[in-house]
Amino acid sequence: TNISPQIPRVNRGNWLRLEEFVRDVVVAADKRNDESSDEEETETWVVSGPIWLSSSKTNQTSSGGEGFRYSFDGIGKPPSIVSVPTHFFKVI
């Protein structure tokens, strides 16, 4: 299930091709299971998830020192803003 918000260029680009590849792997494994005379079936495990890598800026604080500001992209309007992950991972 894909429940993480994605920007369109990610969802329509490399991530889409990766998901198609995963489907092909699962279909091939199912065919091997059907053709095999072994009692033991193989399984294909897929784990996916979001990663938030913030962008940071160094700025001057009100006391004159240096501080950091971290930010993430979001969708929606306050108070219902959803953070959009900057990266995703998939382990097959």
Side-chain angles (χ1 to χ4, degrees):
T1 322
N2 187 359
I3 58 172
S4 292
Q6 294 178 338
I7 57 174
R9 73 176 166 78
V10 172
N11 200 28
R12 296 177 189 148
N14 292 335
W15 194 257
L16 175 63
R17 286 190 291 283
L18 182 58
E19 288 180 334
E20 290 169 349
F21 171 76
V22 170
R23 282 188 214 101
D24 292 344
V25 167
V26 171
V27 167
D30 284 346
K31 284 183 182 178
R32 282 193 302 276
N33 283 337
D34 292 344
E35 295 169 357
S36 175
S37 60
D38 295 341
E39 296 276 330
E40 186 177 325
E41 289 190 5
T42 59
E43 295 179 341
T44 304
W45 287 67
V46 180
V47 179
S48 303
I51 301 172
W52 286 269
L53 298 178
S54 62
S55 59
S56 61
K57 294 181 181 178
T58 304
N59 61 344
Q60 293 291 326
T61 64
S62 59
S63 61
E66 282 192 348
F68 290 98
R69 170 180 270 176
Y70 294 96
S71 64
F72 302 99
D73 287 337
I75 55 175
K77 294 182 180 181
S80 301
I81 296 177
V82 176
S83 294
V84 178
T86 57
H87 298 78
F88 291 88
F89 71 89
K90 188 175 288 282
V91 179
I92 305 168

